[in-house]
Amino acid sequence: MMKEFQWKTILKLSGEGGSITFLGKKNEREHWIYKRNINEIFSLEEMDDHPPNVEYQPSKTIKKLKPTVRKSNEATHWDSARKMIEEYPLEYLKPVHVHPEFAEKVWDIISTKKLPKHRLKLWVKACFPTTTNEIFELFYALTKSKHTVVLTGAGMSVESGIPDFRSPSGWWKNIDPLTVATVEALEENYDLFYEFYSVRINTLKGCEPHEGYRILAKWERSDLIHEVATQNVDGFHFKALSNHVDELHGSILTYRCHQCENEASRDQFLNKESCNFCNGKLRPNVVLFGEALLEKAWNNALNHIQQADLVIVIGTSLQVYPVSQLPKMTNGKTVYINKEVSEFQSLFDVKIEGSARDTLIAVDQLIRS
Ligand code: NAD
């Protein structure tokens, strides 16, 4: 017996006075076929936000439609269905329903149109119903901004398997940073200093930058973001192929002698060797509490933040000075993505309480570039 396939609504649009439905069904070979149904010929002039001074010129196909013509021929390819859909002034129609299987395809069409913000939001909600207002705001700001800077902290790497500092499962649950990651510890309690950093270096083994890191690198290539400033020392932004990165707190991947500043290798540090040149103590090239930030990285980050239209701050408790001041140094829009955001109610224009990775994935779903 031949399998019976039902027509499904893949896209329903409404205007004043009627609706248009695009239907699809699978044929016996599991290929989609498409057709259009018109309930009534609607009047564009009556539509709520159709600008009265803009005269809509219907395409030839629409001009030919009479109120009695209600169904189109069937189309066997999405390209033909897409043309059928694009015959309509989507800017002025409301999406009533988008079939989840066609959400990406419909969004591809919509993202080529110049829609006012409130219309765009309706389409985002129709295509991707789980999108929150805050995710939409970030997406919209990102596409409008001419200069965007991202500032990341330890929370950005938690989903790569590297603990942050201040979360309940972070490094500092049992250890006070001021007793370990300091110049005093390095100089006076080297065993403790060495122990802490060797554990952190070993934790990096087998950890990789997650999808969110790769999305930021992709956005840089698409000219959507222009600089990343990070407090992280794990090198993950570079590993994920971002190029414009300021490592404000240095890097745990390179080493030097604390005394003569000559370069050392990771193995020398992990083997707890002394400096080949002066017998001094070896250390990672991280900025310790009590040390000044790397001037070049700081100046570069500050310069970008001062010119930014948009600053996106991700996964930091903003407890460490002076990086904690950077979000205040922009006149641009500020967005905060963090596991908990309540502390910073007034500092940011948009606050997204959630995971760094999932939030970036959700925004990226809307980006077409
Ligand atoms: P922090 O530990 O003080 O704050 C991290 C923040 O991220 C917290 O508010 C936490 O709620 C949030 N968070 C945790 N998981 C998250 C997730 N999956 N998504 C979104 N947010 C999440 O870290 P900080 O503010 O970066 O502190 C600064 C210091 O921490 C810096 O000196 C930095 O060098 C150091 N640090 C670096 C690393 C690293 O390089 N990966 C790791 C730990 C600490």
Side-chain angles (χ1 to χ4, degrees):
M1 208 173 77
M2 197 107 90
K3 202 171 160 190
E4 188 66 22
F5 290 95
Q6 299 287 320
W7 286 100
K8 293 177 181 165
T9 298
I10 58 171
L11 170 65
K12 185 170 182 179
L13 302 165
S14 80
E16 287 289 321
S19 64
I20 315 161
T21 309
F22 297 89
L23 301 156
K25 76 170 177 178
K26 283 185 179 167
N27 64 17
E28 320 72 66
R29 285 183 298 146
E30 297 271 315
H31 289 157
W32 283 95
I33 52 172
Y34 309 95
K35 68 176 181 182
R36 177 196 57 217
N37 259 4
I38 301 179
N39 288 342
E40 273 176 43
I41 294 294
F42 49 85
S43 146
L44 280 171
E45 285 71 28
E46 285 171 24
M47 265 179 256
D48 54 357
D49 65 354
H50 182 253
N53 53 350
V54 179
E55 199 184 329
Y56 165 61
Q57 290 295 328
S59 67
K60 279 184 192 150
T61 317
I62 293 184
K63 272 184 189 160
K64 275 191 228 150
L65 288 172
K66 295 180 190 138
T68 49
V69 179
R70 290 176 185 270
K71 285 181 187 162
S72 70
N73 291 330
E74 287 176 9
T76 49
H77 292 284
W78 173 251
D79 285 351
S80 314
R82 180 177 173 139
K83 277 188 191 132
M84 225 192 275
I85 293 169
E86 287 188 308
E87 288 285 327
Y88 293 87
L90 300 172
E91 307 71 327
Y92 305 123
L93 297 171
K94 282 184 186 147
V96 178
H97 174 76
V98 177
H99 191 288
E101 228 176 294
F102 288 86
E104 296 276 350
K105 285 185 157 72
V106 170
W107 183 241
D108 270 345
I109 302 175
I110 293 305
S111 44
T112 63
K113 314 278 172 205
K114 280 204 163 60
L115 264 66
K117 189 176 173 189
H118 70 286
R119 283 268 167 205
L120 196 62
K121 196 168 178 177
L122 289 179
W123 280 99
V124 167
K125 294 272 181 185
C127 291
F128 307 108
T130 55
T131 306
T132 61
N133 289 342
E134 290 77 20
I135 296 280
F136 174 79
E137 287 299 328
L138 172 52
F139 154 73
Y140 190 75
L142 194 58
T143 55
K144 291 285 163 217
S145 166
K146 293 203 164 32
H147 200 84
T148 297
V149 180
V150 174
L151 171 64
T152 60
M156 180 72 194
S157 288
V158 167
E159 288 154 295
S160 285
I162 303 170
D164 63 3
F165 274 177
R166 291 175 186 81
S167 288
S169 55
W171 291 109
W172 303 126
K173 195 184 167 198
N174 300 312
I175 317 166
D176 178 354
L178 294 169
T179 63
V180 199
T182 61
V183 180
E184 290 72 34
L186 166 58
E187 290 173 352
E188 288 154 30
N189 197 350
Y190 190 70
D191 284 349
L192 183 67
F193 177 89
Y194 165 81
E195 176 75 23
F196 178 66
Y197 278 102
S198 56
V199 169
R200 287 187 62 190
I201 292 161
N202 287 324
T203 304
L204 278 180
K205 286 182 193 155
C207 293
E208 289 296 325
H210 57 69
E211 181 72 14
Y213 272 103
R214 288 197 292 277
I215 287 171
L216 292 180
K218 186 180 77 173
W219 289 355
E220 181 189 283
R221 289 193 291 277
S222 319
D223 208 28
L224 283 168
I225 60 175
H226 305 91
E227 195 71 13
V228 175
T230 186
Q231 297 167 89
N232 295 348
V233 295
D234 52 29
F236 276 13
H237 285 293
F238 283 124
K239 205 169 184 190
L241 301 181
S242 283
N243 284 314
H244 298 277
V245 183
D246 303 313
E247 291 185 318
L248 300 166
H249 290 172
S251 168
I252 204 170
L253 307 177
T254 59
Y255 308 86
R256 71 174 190 269
C257 170
H258 180 56
Q259 201 164 279
C260 72
E261 306 228 317
N262 266 307
E263 206 177 301
S265 71
R266 187 181 74 157
D267 285 348
Q268 279 176 288
F269 177 75
L270 287 179
N271 294 336
K272 223 176 174 181
E273 292 172 23
S274 307
C275 173
N276 286 340
F277 301 93
C278 72
N279 218 23
K281 292 179 176 122
L282 300 184
R283 57 171 288 178
N285 277 322
V286 298
V287 177
L288 300 173
F289 287 101
E291 289 182 322
L293 255 59
L294 303 169
E295 204 179 321
K296 193 171 163 214
W298 171 260
N299 287 342
N300 204 36
L302 184 60
N303 184 25
H304 278 282
I305 280 179
Q306 283 171 337
Q307 312 171 33
D309 300 317
L310 174 65
V311 176
I312 307 169
V313 177
I314 310 175
T316 169
S317 62
L318 290 173
Q319 308 266 313
V320 179
Y321 184 87
V323 174
S324 54
Q325 303 306 301
L326 284 175
K328 298 176 193 157
M329 293 179 179
T330 179
N331 291 323
K333 201 177 179 95
T334 51
V335 179
Y336 185 46
I337 304 169
N338 208 58
K339 268 281 159 73
E340 67 258 318
V341 299
S342 51
E343 243 185 284
F344 300 103
Q345 286 308 344
S346 54
L347 186 57
F348 292 93
D349 299 310
V350 179
K351 292 158 284 276
I352 302 176
E353 195 160 53
S355 115
R357 178 181 169 276
D358 294 352
T359 303
L360 291 169
I361 291 174
V363 176
D364 191 53
Q365 187 179 37
L366 305 176
I367 299 282
R368 293 290 180 270
S369 56

